[in-house]
Structure formats: C-alpha cells, structure tokens
C-alpha cells in the first residue's frame, strides 16, 4: 500500500497473474521482475531499494512511500 496525494493505492497483479516490480524510471515489462505473491514482491523490494511496483487506482508504478506490513 502507498498513499499518493491523499489516495490509497494497492499493488495488483498485471494481467491477473503476477505482481511486477520495476527499476526506477523504467516501465519496460521486459525489465520487470515478476512475483506470484505480494509477499515475494515485498521481500524483493525490501532487498532492492529504489524499485517500484504497479498499483491501482491509476495503474501507476509507485516508487516512494510504499508501506510493507511485516
């Protein structure tokens, strides 16, 4: 989850299959890392600061202000 301009955003599965994390300033799917679960994506993002994840509403890649519940 992230709060962007007062709006709560949630990660979602692209195409309904996988969560995708992206390196900063890159929205190329070929460069994204795919994860079957949100937990796997969260662990990856903790280990790789600067990466973002696609979130709704707005289908945006969010890099900052992401809250990961442990």
């Amino acid at each position: 989850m992230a709060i962007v301009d007062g709006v709560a955003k949630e990660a979602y599965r692209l195409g309904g299959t996988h969560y995708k994390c992206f390196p900063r300033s890159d929205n190329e799917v070929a460069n994204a890392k795919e994860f079957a679960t949100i937990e796997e994506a969260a662990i990856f993002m903790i280990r790789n600061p600067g990466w973002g994840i696609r979130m709704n509403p707005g289908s945006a890649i969010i890099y900052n202000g992401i809250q990961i519940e442990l």
Side-chain angles (χ1 to χ4, degrees):
M1 175 183 174
I3 305 294
V4 179
D5 296 328
V7 177
K9 296 189 174 269
E10 295 284 336
Y12 70 96
R13 288 183 173 102
L14 268 133
T17 61
H18 288 87
Y19 295 95
K20 295 192 186 223
C21 295
F22 295 82
R24 184 165 300 284
S25 301
D26 184 352
N27 65 355
E28 296 292 325
V29 174
N31 298 328
K33 302 288 184 194
E34 292 186 349
F35 302 94
T37 69
I38 192 66
E39 292 83 5
E40 292 170 326
I43 290 167
F44 176 82
M45 291 177 55
I46 289 168
R47 292 180 178 161
N48 295 275
W51 282 65
I53 191 166
R54 180 113 18 215
M55 293 186 165
N56 270 329
S59 188
I61 301 169
I62 305 299
Y63 297 96
N64 299 313
I66 298 170
Q67 301 171 20
I68 298 173
E69 186 176 312
L70 300 176

